[in-house]
Coordinates of all heavy atoms in Angstrom, one line a residue:
R8 N 9.8 8.7 -1.4 CA 10.3 7.7 -2.2 C 9.3 7.0 -3.1 O 9.6 6.4 -4.1 CB 11.0 6.6 -1.4 CG 12.3 6.9 -1.0 CD 12.9 5.7 -0.3 NE 13.8 6.1 0.7 CZ 15.0 5.6 0.9 NH1 15.3 4.5 0.3 NH2 15.8 6.1 1.8
D9 N 8.0 7.1 -2.7 CA 6.9 6.4 -3.4 C 6.7 7.3 -4.7 O 6.0 8.3 -4.6 CB 5.7 6.4 -2.6 CG 4.6 5.6 -3.2 OD1 4.6 5.3 -4.5 OD2 3.6 5.2 -2.5
T11 N 4.8 7.0 -7.1 CA 3.4 7.2 -7.5 C 2.9 8.5 -6.9 O 1.9 9.1 -7.5 CB 2.5 6.1 -7.1 OG1 2.5 5.9 -5.7 CG2 3.0 4.8 -7.8
Y18 N -0.8 19.9 -11.4 CA -1.4 21.2 -11.6 C -0.3 22.2 -11.8 O 0.9 22.0 -11.4 CB -2.1 21.6 -10.3 CG -3.2 20.7 -9.9 CD1 -3.0 19.6 -9.1 CD2 -4.5 21.0 -10.4 CE1 -4.1 18.8 -8.7 CE2 -5.5 20.1 -10.0 CZ -5.3 19.1 -9.2 OH -6.4 18.2 -8.9
L20 N 0.6 26.5 -12.0 CA 0.2 27.8 -11.6 C 1.0 28.8 -12.4 O 2.3 28.7 -12.3 CB 0.4 28.0 -10.1 CG 0.1 29.4 -9.6 CD1 -1.4 29.8 -9.7 CD2 0.5 29.5 -8.1
E28 N 13.6 40.0 -13.0 CA 14.6 40.1 -12.0 C 14.5 39.0 -11.0 O 13.4 38.7 -10.5 CB 14.6 41.5 -11.3 CG 14.8 42.7 -12.3 CD 16.2 42.7 -12.8 OE1 17.2 42.4 -12.1 OE2 16.4 43.0 -14.0
D29 N 15.6 38.4 -10.6 CA 15.6 37.3 -9.6 C 14.9 37.8 -8.3 O 14.2 37.0 -7.7 CB 17.0 36.8 -9.3 CG 17.5 35.9 -10.4 OD1 16.8 35.6 -11.3 OD2 18.7 35.5 -10.2
A30 N 15.0 39.0 -7.9 CA 14.4 39.5 -6.6 C 12.9 39.4 -6.7 O 12.2 39.0 -5.7 CB 14.9 40.9 -6.3
L36 N 8.1 33.3 -5.4 CA 8.4 31.9 -4.9 C 8.2 31.8 -3.4 O 7.6 30.9 -3.0 CB 9.8 31.6 -5.4 CG 10.3 30.2 -4.9 CD1 9.4 29.1 -5.5 CD2 11.8 30.0 -5.4
S37 N 8.8 32.7 -2.7 CA 8.6 32.7 -1.2 C 7.2 32.8 -0.8 O 6.8 32.1 0.1 CB 9.5 33.8 -0.6 OG 10.8 33.6 -0.9
A42 N 2.4 30.2 1.5 CA 1.0 30.1 1.4 C 0.5 28.7 1.3 O -0.5 28.3 1.8 CB 0.4 30.9 0.2
G44 N 2.0 26.2 2.7 CA 2.3 25.5 3.9 C 3.3 24.4 3.7 O 3.4 23.5 4.6
A45 N 4.1 24.5 2.7 CA 5.1 23.5 2.4 C 6.2 23.6 3.5 O 6.6 24.7 3.9 CB 5.7 23.7 1.0
F49 N 13.3 20.3 -0.8 CA 14.2 19.2 -1.1 C 14.3 19.0 -2.6 O 13.4 19.2 -3.3 CB 13.6 17.9 -0.4 CG 13.5 18.1 1.1 CD1 12.3 18.5 1.6 CD2 14.6 17.9 1.9 CE1 12.2 18.6 3.0 CE2 14.5 18.1 3.2 CZ 13.3 18.5 3.8
A50 N 15.5 18.6 -3.0 CA 15.8 18.4 -4.4 C 15.4 17.1 -5.0 O 15.1 17.0 -6.2 CB 17.3 18.7 -4.7
F51 N 15.4 16.1 -4.1 CA 15.2 14.7 -4.6 C 14.0 14.0 -4.1 O 13.6 14.2 -3.0 CB 16.5 13.9 -4.3 CG 17.8 14.6 -4.7 CD1 18.6 15.2 -3.7 CD2 18.1 14.7 -6.0 CE1 19.7 15.8 -4.1 CE2 19.3 15.3 -6.4 CZ 20.1 15.9 -5.4
E58 N 16.7 11.9 5.0 CA 17.9 11.3 4.4 C 18.6 12.2 3.4 O 19.6 11.8 2.7 CB 17.5 10.0 3.6 CG 16.8 9.0 4.5 CD 16.2 7.9 3.7 OE1 16.0 8.0 2.5 OE2 15.9 6.8 4.3
C64 N 14.9 27.5 -0.6 CA 13.8 27.7 -1.5 C 14.1 29.0 -2.2 O 13.6 30.1 -1.9 CB 12.5 27.8 -0.7 SG 11.0 28.0 -1.7
S68 N 18.1 27.5 -6.5 CA 17.9 26.1 -6.3 C 16.9 25.6 -7.3 O 17.0 24.5 -7.9 CB 17.3 25.9 -4.9 OG 18.2 26.1 -3.9
A71 N 18.8 25.1 -10.5 CA 19.7 24.0 -10.4 C 19.0 22.7 -10.5 O 19.5 21.8 -11.1 CB 20.5 24.1 -9.1
L75 N 11.4 21.9 -6.8 CA 11.6 21.8 -5.4 C 10.5 21.1 -4.8 O 9.3 21.3 -5.2 CB 11.7 23.2 -4.8 CG 12.9 24.1 -5.3 CD1 12.8 25.5 -4.7 CD2 14.2 23.4 -4.9

Side-chain angles (χ1 to χ4, degrees):
R8 280 184 209 224
D9 187 344
T11 60
Y18 298 91
L20 174 65
E28 297 293 322
D29 281 357
L36 177 61
S37 296
F49 300 96
F51 308 106
E58 298 170 344
C64 185
S68 292
L75 297 177

